[in-house]
Amino acid sequence: MTAIRTVTVHGDSPYTIHIGHGLLEDGALIAGHIRGRHVLIVSDDQVAPLYLPALRQRLLQQRPELLIGEQVIAAGEASKTLDNFARVIDALAGLGATRDACVLALGGGVVGDLAGFAAACWMRGIDCVQLPTSLLAMVDSSVGGKTAVDLPQGKNLVGAFHPPRAVIADTATLATLPPRELRAGLAEVIKYAALGDLRFGQWLAQERPALLAGDSEALALAIAASCEHKAEIVARDPLEKAERALLNLGHTFGHAIETAQGYAAPGSDNLIHGEAVAIGMLLAARLSARLGMATDRDADALEQLLRSFELPTQIPAGLTAQTLLAHMRLDKKNTAGKLRLILWTAFGQACIVPDVDEQAVLAVLRQP
Ligand code: NAD
Ligand code: GLY
């Protein structure tokens, strides 16, 4: 096992993010966060065969008295549904889970959001330990306590804030992550640079070959830096009353793309979350320039960085500007009748803009 990095998320319910190679093999670390006897491991059908049996075995080695249930969903965004939420709840009921039970979310952000939401709701809230296995989940979704499922009308529309008891990110699992998913996770890493840290952006550009090649040390550094950025913001604003909204740079556009195209399932051509966010960030940068808040040169720099990480930068064919705008109107950041977007004044300087002109948004959405 190599160096373990930790990041603390401060606040009313503080918790630690553990980042290191081989952490899923550390049964004592994981079991140490389980208070009661009931454990439900939630995973998906691509991650579970790789990591779930060994996890179960290590937990039982540490704590033979544990009653461990499993709920495995089909992989992909299309599974982040109320139906699967009900299945996880049924599994907790079947296990007889008491208030000291623990949900272990073993997988990417889909599993993390779904399992976290079930943990938030069962008996009005039980522990959830996030065991993220995708880069995107390690740098973003496992941290901060946002949990949710999607509706056909929009992403993450039903959910709750429910901070995890701990986050344990085993970077060894990234070795089995498909390259496209690794790049999608890197889009969320680039987001931290774009919203608040130009120097981190420069570091990412410099480390690009190592990051794209899956170099474990470069990835661990990127994960730790991303978690530090997110932890700072979440500690100050856990419920997104203000600055936490900055973490949504590119997301209003991105979520609209995901919803309009249909939520991705493995093997489909539909964009996955990180890819949609990449396009969304660039649209936000272009809109900022159109509104006279920033230069096109900054947007060009972002486009170049995203392209160098082999991320998409164009809205997929067939999605009209009007359709996308209609989905953007249902975003959670909006206030009555007004589009509230995260834009920027320069690379690394994002800001919240409360009442964005829809004609300007349409113009950017129409650009080839
Ligand atoms: P995902 O959960 O669908 O995982 C991506 C794919 O990679 C899946 O097919 C999964 O089976 C596979 N996979 C994951 N880890 C693997 C591994 N180690 N080896 C092999 N395959 C592996 O998607 P994601 O990109 O991890 O997360 C996206 C989701 O996260 C979206 O639903 C998004 O809305 C949500 N999200 C939430 C927050 C938050 O704050 N809660 C933040 C960002 C994103
Ligand atoms: N991913 C945005 C947030 O956690 O607030």
Side-chain angles (χ1 to χ4, degrees):
M1 213 183 281
T2 51
I4 299 174
R5 294 173 169 83
T6 58
V7 176
T8 303
V9 184
H10 297 282
D12 289 345
S13 314
Y15 55 94
T16 303
I17 306 164
H18 306 259
I19 303 155
H21 193 90
L23 289 185
L24 278 184
E25 289 169 27
D26 190 342
L29 173 69
I30 302 168
H33 292 290
I34 297 170
R35 294 186 295 128
R37 286 185 71 199
H38 301 110
V39 177
L40 181 69
I41 307 176
V42 182
S43 191
D44 74 32
D45 60 8
Q46 296 195 11
V47 174
L50 298 172
Y51 302 110
L52 197 153
L55 172 63
R56 168 189 271 276
Q57 195 187 355
R58 295 221 161 77
L59 290 174
L60 287 172
Q61 275 165 1
Q62 290 295 322
R63 299 266 304 272
E65 82 284 8
L66 290 179
L67 296 169
I68 304 180
E70 296 174 8
Q71 184 65 36
V72 177
I73 59 168
E77 187 69 36
S79 284
K80 219 174 89 175
T81 58
L82 281 169
D83 281 352
N84 276 329
F85 166 78
R87 288 190 181 98
V88 179
I89 293 293
D90 279 349
L92 284 164
L95 196 61
T98 46
R99 264 226 160 126
D100 52 1
C102 182
V103 172
L104 297 179
L106 175 70
V110 166
V111 163
D113 280 10
L114 173 75
F117 184 42
C121 295
W122 180 252
M123 295 192 172
R124 302 201 182 95
I126 59 170
D127 291 343
C128 179
V129 174
Q130 293 278 348
L131 304 173
T133 61
S134 71
L135 179 62
L136 190 141
M138 291 181 193
V139 301
D140 196 353
S141 60
S142 65
V143 177
K146 276 190 184 175
T147 71
V149 295
D150 304 327
L151 296 184
Q153 293 90 332
K155 286 249 318 169
N156 299 332
L157 288 182
V158 184
F161 286 98
H162 186 62
R165 185 166 168 83
V167 179
I168 299 171
D170 180 350
T171 52
T173 61
L174 297 177
T176 56
L177 188 69
R180 182 179 173 193
E181 299 290 348
L182 184 82
R183 294 194 296 272
L186 286 165
E188 295 275 18
V189 176
I190 291 170
K191 177 188 78 177
Y192 294 107
L195 75 89
D197 191 346
L198 176 61
R199 285 181 63 187
F200 186 44
Q202 290 160 346
W203 181 83
L204 290 173
Q206 187 187 308
E207 294 298 319
R208 179 181 54 83
L211 291 165
L212 282 175
D215 178 87
S216 12
E217 186 54 20
L219 285 172
L221 285 169
I223 295 164
S226 301
C227 288
E228 276 161 19
H229 278 296
K230 183 156 183 178
E232 266 187 40
I233 294 178
V234 166
R236 287 193 295 263
D237 182 19
L239 303 180
E240 199 171 306
K241 303 272 188 220
E243 69 170 310
R244 181 166 180 173
L246 296 173
L247 293 171
N248 291 314
L249 178 65
H251 281 60
T252 308
F253 288 108
H255 285 170
I257 292 171
E258 286 184 84
T259 308
Q261 65 167 12
Y263 302 126
S268 80
D269 287 337
N270 289 357
L271 292 179
I272 52 179
H273 178 71
E275 293 171 338
V277 166
I279 298 168
M281 286 193 289
L282 187 59
L283 290 167
R286 295 277 175 226
L287 179 58
S288 305
R290 174 168 278 270
L291 293 172
M293 297 169 47
T295 65
D296 256 322
R297 219 180 38 231
D298 278 324
D300 293 342
L302 177 62
E303 180 162 6
Q304 200 182 348
L305 186 63
L306 293 169
R307 281 176 185 263
S308 75
F309 276 90
E310 299 165 37
L311 286 160
T313 53
Q314 298 278 332
I315 297 171
L319 302 185
T320 68
Q322 281 294 354
T323 303
L324 292 172
L325 180 63
H327 286 298
M328 289 173 73
R329 290 195 186 113
L330 205 54
D331 185 84
K332 295 183 295 305
K333 286 182 297 304
N334 296 338
T335 49
K338 292 180 178 169
L339 270 189
R340 189 161 165 265
L341 293 181
I342 311 308
L343 302 179
W344 73 7
T345 53
F347 194 114
Q349 289 176 41
C351 55
I352 303 166
V353 182
D355 187 5
V356 180
D357 174 24
E358 289 197 352
Q359 291 311 313
V361 175
L362 279 172
V364 165
L365 289 172
R366 282 192 192 111
Q367 271 194 346

